[in-house]
Amino acid sequence: MKSEVLKAAVARPPQELLLPQGFVDAAVLLPVWEGQLLFTVRSADLPHHAAQISFPGGRFDDGESAEQAALREAWEEVGLKPSHVEILGHLNPTLSPFGYRVFPLLGRITQEPHLTPNPLEVGELLWVPIEELLTAPAYAEERTPPPSNRFPTGLGGEFSEPDGKLRRKVWHYPWRNYDIWGVTGNIVHDFLERIREVRL
């Protein structure tokens, strides 16, 4: 996929998302190399999201920007050198039920990556062709957040409140024998919709 298409996909500014009370900021990187997105399968030993598919990322360190946090986390998790990534732009921020406001950034890897995943955090790396995601049998489900969630009311977007009960639209992208879903699935959905828009 050409860099011009990727840049055009993030030319539209991201939606604003206020930081809800009790939430902290995190960032994830969507690394692209030769038309493929890099995902991680999280280690089965992690306390949260064990064995789930995600993008490299994590919470901000003090004083960091979203770009700095995403690049640092990608280096720590998979050994992707920050100097080998060109940040192309931002996707829409989203919320995690674990209390994070997540800023997704699209990044183009500028030279052939030689990655060394951190086994404490990453069980497997997945290189997923964007074209295969565009044709995946994606579907969305309405989920009721767990009682421990900290989502405020009145968020809109992927959130709705029929009968006063909070619901969230969660996207699933089946790929081969994997299910890319949750916060990662919703970020993928935003990315793919942007790709479709610029290809029209």
Side-chain angles (χ1 to χ4, degrees), residues 25-111:
D25 283 329
V28 298
L29 182 67
L30 283 68
V32 179
W33 169 252
E34 294 189 340
Q36 302 171 96
L37 273 175
L38 174 63
F39 294 86
T40 65
V41 181
R42 293 170 60 83
S43 168
D45 298 324
L46 290 172
H48 298 300
H49 305 299
Q52 289 188 8
I53 296 173
S54 62
F55 292 111
R59 66 188 296 164
F60 289 18
D61 280 350
D62 289 344
E64 278 188 324
S65 66
E67 291 88 347
Q68 290 168 333
L71 291 171
R72 175 183 53 76
E73 287 283 345
W75 166 245
E76 293 175 359
E77 287 185 21
V78 303
L80 178 58
K81 293 182 179 180
S83 60
H84 293 179
V85 180
E86 176 191 5
I87 297 294
L88 302 179
H90 290 247
L91 297 158
N92 291 333
T94 187
L95 298 178
S96 158
F98 289 94
Y100 294 99
R101 178 175 64 167
V102 182
F103 291 93
L105 292 100
L106 183 64
R108 184 179 69 87
I109 301 175
T110 57
Q111 53 187 280

Side-chain angles (χ1 to χ4, degrees), residues 27 29 62 68 73 76 81 102 105 107-108 114-117 131 139 141 153 162 164 177-178 188 191 196:
L29 182 67
D62 289 344
Q68 290 168 333
E73 287 283 345
E76 293 175 359
K81 293 182 179 180
V102 182
L105 292 100
R108 184 179 69 87
H114 300 281
L115 305 180
T116 52
E131 295 296 342
Y139 64 95
E141 61 171 332
T153 59
N177 293 320
Y178 297 92
V188 168
F191 171 66
R196 290 187 174 100

Side-chain angles (χ1 to χ4, degrees), residues 161-181:
E161 298 172 58
D163 305 321
K165 295 181 180 179
L166 189 65
R167 300 281 190 277
R168 185 181 200 180
K169 181 180 285 187
V170 175
W171 282 92
H172 291 253
Y173 281 83
W175 180 75
R176 301 185 187 181
N177 293 320
Y178 297 92
D179 183 14
I180 302 169
W181 71 286

